[in-house]
Amino acid sequence: MVRLKQKLHQSNLNKKQEFQEMEIVTIPCLQDNFSYLLICTKTGEAAVVDPSEADPIRKEIKNQNVKLTTILNTHHHWDHVGGNKELKSDYPEIKIYGHSSDKGRIPEQTEFLEDGDHVMFGKQSGEFLYNPGHTSGAITYLFGNTAFTGDTLFAAGCGRLFEGTSDQMYNSLNNLIGKLPENTQLYFGHEYTENNLRFALSVETGNTKINKKLIDVKRLCSSGSFSTPTTIADEKQTNPFLRCNSDEIKRVVKLMDPENDLTKKEVFRALRELKDVF
Ligand code: ZN
Ligand code: FE
């Protein structure tokens, strides 16, 4: 398991800086899904992001000797909520968060998030971004400079448009997630990075950052490790869906529509269509 210590920054009224430790454990599930166990090291309480299935989560809870109090679902797809029911039967008091609009679609949901709501477990307090596009209820969880993006943003890619429009996804990626600080750590829902980077390279062959990351990710994954998390800084350099202003991408995409000058949203739409058949 990959363990990352995350120091979450919280300032208090005395302007003294206090650091509350949250530990993040990546748990691979199913074929290529990632669940994440978030541990509040002050209290020994834990939350799990998108439990695809119960058993690997149970195993890690035992391993870490923590108490699961919370499930954080980024959206209602079965590969992100598959463990909800069984974990609820293990921990009947568990809180299960999701967007308010996912009511009836997230099994056993108890918390229905609306604008301005907070997400709490142990001594940790987080927020969320409502970022429709992949689904109509998709959200990203935020704890300080750590974000859990589900199937909205992947390293070098984004989720398919199952329920949202291309413009909604453009907005979610570029005007919401993309506006987070450069050093934000982004933990995403699937290990698709190598394929995403190959696509990124196909529309931007001159981007050496993509090439370099592809080599790094291949090495990581072949050694049994994972490509999660990424950062905003990295994504701005390598993710075509955050690079709709790139001259090379615009040129490649314009070949599909040589008559017209494309807006960034049109470039985005064309990229998503190209990726669907890549
Ligand atoms: Zn999904
Ligand atoms: Fe998924």
Side-chain angles (χ1 to χ4, degrees):
M1 294 298 154
V2 173
R3 286 178 70 148
L4 287 163
K5 293 217 166 175
Q6 235 27 55
K7 295 215 163 178
L8 288 189
H9 183 140
Q10 312 213 315
S11 50
N12 63 20
L13 293 171
N14 304 324
K15 285 189 182 159
K16 228 172 58 189
Q17 292 192 333
E18 213 179 273
F19 290 92
Q20 283 195 343
E21 245 187 33
M22 183 169 93
E23 227 175 271
I24 302 171
V25 184
T26 299
I27 307 175
C29 290
L30 304 172
Q31 281 277 89
D32 49 32
N33 275 81
F34 290 129
S35 297
Y36 300 102
L37 191 66
L38 318 187
I39 302 169
C40 176
T41 51
K42 277 212 164 152
T43 65
E45 289 166 281
V48 62
V49 177
D50 285 351
S52 312
E53 46 182 346
D55 281 347
I57 314 300
R58 286 173 169 147
K59 214 174 124 196
E60 198 55 39
I61 288 168
K62 218 173 155 194
N63 222 3
Q64 301 289 340
N65 194 24
V66 291
K67 180 176 186 260
L68 189 69
T69 62
T70 308
I71 292 175
L72 304 174
N73 289 128
T74 61
H75 64 296
H76 74 288
H77 282 160
W78 68 275
D79 60 317
H80 298 256
V81 304
N84 281 19
K85 260 206 163 82
E86 285 176 75
L87 292 172
K88 165 99 178 172
S89 74
D90 293 355
Y91 304 91
E93 305 286 284
I94 201 164
K95 282 189 175 172
I96 303 185
Y97 285 91
H99 192 252
S100 57
S101 67
D102 268 340
K103 191 170 191 166
R105 307 206 293 182
I106 292 178
E108 311 290 351
Q109 184 174 1
T110 64
E111 314 299 312
F112 303 88
L113 289 168
E114 300 206 18
D115 280 4
D117 285 349
H118 284 254
V119 173
M120 324 275 267
F121 76 95
K123 292 259 186 269
Q124 309 295 330
S125 170
E127 298 165 304
F128 76 97
L129 299 174
Y130 173 50
N131 45 215
H134 178 63
T135 66
S136 57
I139 57 181
T140 286
Y141 291 97
L142 268 176
F143 291 89
N145 68 348
T146 304
F148 299 89
T149 60
D151 288 357
T152 300
L153 179 141
F154 297 126
C158 71
R160 284 177 189 265
L161 303 174
F162 283 115
E163 296 175 352
T165 65
S166 167
D167 284 3
Q168 277 180 319
M169 192 59 138
Y170 175 90
N171 193 49
S172 292
L173 288 180
N174 288 277
N175 299 329
L176 293 172
I177 298 175
K179 290 283 174 354
L180 294 171
E182 298 273 308
N183 66 350
T184 307
Q185 304 273 315
L186 304 165
Y187 290 82
F188 43 89
H190 289 267
E191 183 61 272
Y192 292 158
T193 310
E194 194 177 323
N195 182 264
N196 285 344
L197 286 165
R198 286 184 201 286
F199 172 73
L201 207 51
S202 77
V203 294
E204 208 176 7
T205 49
N207 185 333
T208 53
K209 294 269 177 4
I210 298 175
N211 227 333
K212 193 189 165 299
K213 186 154 180 173
L214 185 54
I215 293 165
D216 291 347
V217 165
K218 274 206 252 179
R219 195 184 305 126
L220 258 178
C221 293
S222 65
S223 73
S225 193
F226 318 116
S227 67
T228 187
T230 180
T231 62
I232 289 287
D234 242 39
E235 292 313 297
K236 282 187 178 169
Q237 292 179 325
T238 58
N239 191 327
F241 297 97
L242 293 177
R243 297 178 56 74
C244 297
N245 238 346
S246 144
D247 286 336
E248 193 183 351
I249 292 180
K250 279 197 273 190
R251 219 179 309 124
V252 168
V253 162
K254 208 167 141 58
L255 296 177
M256 297 162 65
D257 192 2
E259 298 299 307
N260 292 304
D261 247 341
L262 301 178
T263 64
K264 283 189 279 181
K265 284 185 177 169
E266 286 166 337
V267 171
F268 186 94
R269 184 190 309 268
L271 277 175
R272 191 54 262 179
E273 282 168 10
L274 281 175
K275 179 65 173 64
D276 283 344
V277 295
F278 180 71

